[in-house]
Every structure is written in structure tokens, then in C-alpha cells.
Amino acid sequence: MERPLVTIGVISYNSAATIVETLESVKNQTYENIELIISDDASKDNTVEICRDWIEKNASHFSRVEIITTKANTGTCGNCDRLLDKTTGLWLRIL
């Protein structure tokens, strides 16, 4: 039986203190066909750099990984909209 692609979307804004814990939780899932999409809403801290470093080390755990950034903060709704535009999975879970 084929396993459908599941998208796990992580929205972030100034999440440097907690983003690695969140990403590690996603990585520790036992389901094997996951795409990870991180959408950052113009963080002023080093969230994006932390995510890029983490992705470089852990991308092989996922079917696909993408990080989305923007120059202007648009709030939770705008951040979710950007994330939704990039998903390709049959199922979606947003964190």
C-alpha cells in the first residue's frame, strides 16, 4: 500500500529559541513520506539561519524540504497563506 505525501508546515516568527525543538519533533515522526515546509514571517532574530543550518543536516529525512521567507511581516494569516501555496501533500498539518 502506497503512503500518501503528508505536508508538515511550520510557521515561524522570531522563533530562534524554540525552532530546533519543533523541527526535531517533526523529524522524529515515524511516518516516512513527509514534506517539510517552513514559512518564516520576517523574523528579526536568527530563526531563518537556524532553520537553514538544521535543514542542511536533516533534509534527507524528508521527501521534500522548503523554507519560505518574506521581507515584510504579514501576520499569522499571511504566513499560513504562503505556506499553503507551497504544499503538495495529500494531507497537511500546520505547527
Side-chain angles (χ1 to χ4, degrees):
M1 181 175 169
E2 191 173 319
R3 296 184 141 197
L5 182 65
V6 172
T7 301
I8 298 181
V10 177
I11 59 169
S12 65
Y13 176 69
N14 291 341
S15 303
T18 58
I19 196 68
V20 169
E21 182 179 0
T22 301
L23 297 174
E24 285 294 320
S25 177
V26 173
K27 183 177 91 172
N28 289 330
Q29 299 306 302
T30 58
Y31 191 79
E32 294 181 1
N33 194 15
I34 296 175
E35 82 173 343
L36 171 63
I37 301 176
I38 304 163
S39 182
D40 186 76
D41 201 21
S43 289
K44 293 178 169 80
D45 63 7
N46 63 336
T47 299
V48 173
E49 292 81 10
I50 291 170
C51 288
R52 286 187 175 134
D53 288 344
W54 188 90
I55 288 169
E56 187 176 312
K57 297 172 189 165
N58 296 284
S60 65
H61 290 274
F62 303 96
S63 299
R64 186 173 96 80
V65 180
E66 183 172 352
I67 186 164
I68 305 162
T69 59
T70 185
K71 293 181 182 182
N73 183 278
T74 59
T76 303
C77 291
N79 204 4
C80 285
D81 284 345
R82 276 189 303 282
L83 179 101
L84 289 172
D85 285 342
K86 298 293 185 172
T87 63
T88 61
L90 181 61
W91 297 95
L92 168 65
R93 175 66 174 162
I94 297 176
L95 304 176

